[in-house]
Amino acid sequence: MTTPQLVAQIHQKKSFLCIGLDVDLSKIPTHLLDSEDPIFEFNKAIIDATHDLAVAYKPNIAFYEAYGLKGWTSLQKTIDYLNENYPELYTIADAKRGDIGNTASMYAKAFFEDLGFDSVTVAPYMGKDSVEPFLAFEDKQTILLALTSNEGAFDFQTLECQGKQMYQIVLETSKKWINHHNLMYVVGATKPEYFAEIRNIVPDSFLLVPGVGAQGGDLHAVCQHGLNAQVGLLINSSRGIIFAGKELDFAEQARIKALEMQLEMSEILQQYFK
């Protein structure tokens, strides 16, 4: 999916919601555990109930790797289901990969060619040659970790180096890499005060924003400084939506939570894009 297609979806649905499919078997409704593939059945129900309210879905790969081969099979079935039934939806492999060039190339092939994701999250710590193999896929997007929402982000990402904070150096340096126009960036919603500075450095890029909902991030605070001319935000919510209910109507409960966010986003879009 191209960026213009994503932007068109955002305006059509009046939503920039990304739903994180972080499936924990200990938290899904117990009646699903008797099915052949509980993870896929859970994902399928969530997707079917919310696809008209969201523009993107983001499976966190760790929640599939943890279940071994069965988990990878569930992941494959989930991405195939999305691509075959809802091809207009943007897909993100939240893998946070980052390794030397030849290894990075294999990661890129795995997520872009084999699994068929539109994008993948990548760690920048090892630098240019660990990221450019992902950027070599010109019809895909690479989502670089910039300023994350976790407490430990302050251990490194905001350290001063040559008069700048480390996340600023990451943003500026990444703009020198091949096909950098296909870069997006992860910026946590729990740090809304940083968005103005981030927009000064990457004014035109999309930002994937986790941390709204269960982690306490404020949607309006993020939008105040994070929106750009093409919206430029994907707001991710995982636990707050997918685990909203634990009974037979869990998908309907997830839809209620997704609808709450979509309505709030619709109001924001109307305010900023009259």
Side-chain angles (χ1 to χ4, degrees):
M1 176 181 288
T2 65
T3 300
Q5 288 172 323
L6 175 59
V7 174
Q9 277 291 302
I10 289 172
H11 287 294
Q12 178 182 333
K13 293 182 175 178
K14 297 180 174 58
S15 169
F16 41 102
L17 174 62
C18 172
I19 296 179
L21 299 173
D22 303 354
V23 186
D24 183 340
L25 287 179
S26 69
K27 295 180 180 179
I28 70 173
T30 55
H31 73 274
L32 292 176
L33 298 177
D34 294 328
S35 62
E36 181 181 351
D37 190 339
I39 294 175
F40 173 67
E41 293 301 329
F42 179 81
N43 284 346
K44 180 178 179 295
I46 294 292
I47 293 165
D48 287 343
T50 61
H51 68 91
D52 59 321
L53 303 174
V55 296
Y57 287 86
K58 182 179 71 66
N60 187 312
I61 306 305
F63 287 84
Y64 301 84
E65 290 177 322
Y67 299 108
L69 182 58
K70 289 183 178 180
W72 276 104
T73 300
S74 300
L75 177 64
Q76 179 77 70
K77 289 165 67 176
T78 298
I79 187 63
D80 287 348
Y81 186 76
L82 280 163
N83 287 338
E84 291 168 9
N85 294 277
Y86 305 108
E88 75 281 3
L89 291 168
Y90 189 75
T91 57
I92 302 168
D94 191 1
K96 300 180 179 71
R97 298 299 196 252
D99 210 327
I100 59 173
N102 62 334
T103 306
S105 295
M106 294 298 104
Y107 281 138
K109 285 173 65 69
F111 291 109
F112 291 150
E113 291 185 352
D114 182 44
L115 288 168
F117 279 93
D118 292 314
S119 61
V120 61
T121 58
V122 173
Y125 190 76
M126 291 182 69
K128 173 182 176 179
D129 56 316
S130 70
V131 180
E132 287 192 337
F134 295 92
L135 291 171
F137 288 78
E138 296 190 18
D139 60 339
K140 304 288 186 176
Q141 285 81 43
T142 301
I143 308 178
L144 208 63
L145 302 182
L147 187 62
T148 55
S149 58
N150 60 304
E151 182 181 352
F154 295 103
D155 289 347
F156 299 113
Q157 295 169 23
T158 56
L159 285 180
E160 291 285 338
C161 180
Q162 298 178 344
K164 298 178 181 178
Q165 295 187 53
M166 190 61 66
Y167 81 90
Q168 296 172 320
I169 295 173
V170 167
L171 292 169
E172 291 172 354
T173 302
S174 70
K175 293 168 66 176
K176 303 174 184 177
W177 297 339
I178 64 162
N179 296 329
H180 61 86
H181 55 277
N182 282 338
L183 280 170
M184 298 182 178
Y185 300 91
V186 176
V187 181
T190 54
K191 300 173 176 60
E193 66 274 16
Y194 288 91
F195 274 81
E197 177 57 32
I198 288 169
R199 276 298 180 216
N200 285 335
I201 303 172
V202 287
D204 301 321
S205 300
F206 259 84
L207 308 179
L208 173 62
V209 184
V212 170
Q215 295 184 52
D218 181 79
L219 177 60
H220 287 270
V222 169
C223 291
Q224 183 178 0
H225 297 294
L227 288 169
N228 65 14
Q230 55 181 359
V231 183
L233 295 175
L234 288 175
I235 303 294
N236 183 77
S237 179
S238 302
R239 290 168 289 172
I241 291 177
I242 66 173
F243 298 136
K246 294 187 176 181
E247 306 302 328
L248 291 174
D249 66 343
F250 73 95
E252 289 80 4
Q253 293 301 314
R255 179 177 177 81
I256 290 171
K257 289 296 183 181
L259 181 59
E260 289 176 2
M261 291 196 70
Q262 185 273 328
L263 290 173
E264 191 173 3
M265 290 175 176
S266 177
E267 292 176 359
I268 290 170
L269 291 174
Q270 186 175 7
Q271 176 185 351
Y272 285 91
F273 297 91
K274 294 180 180 179

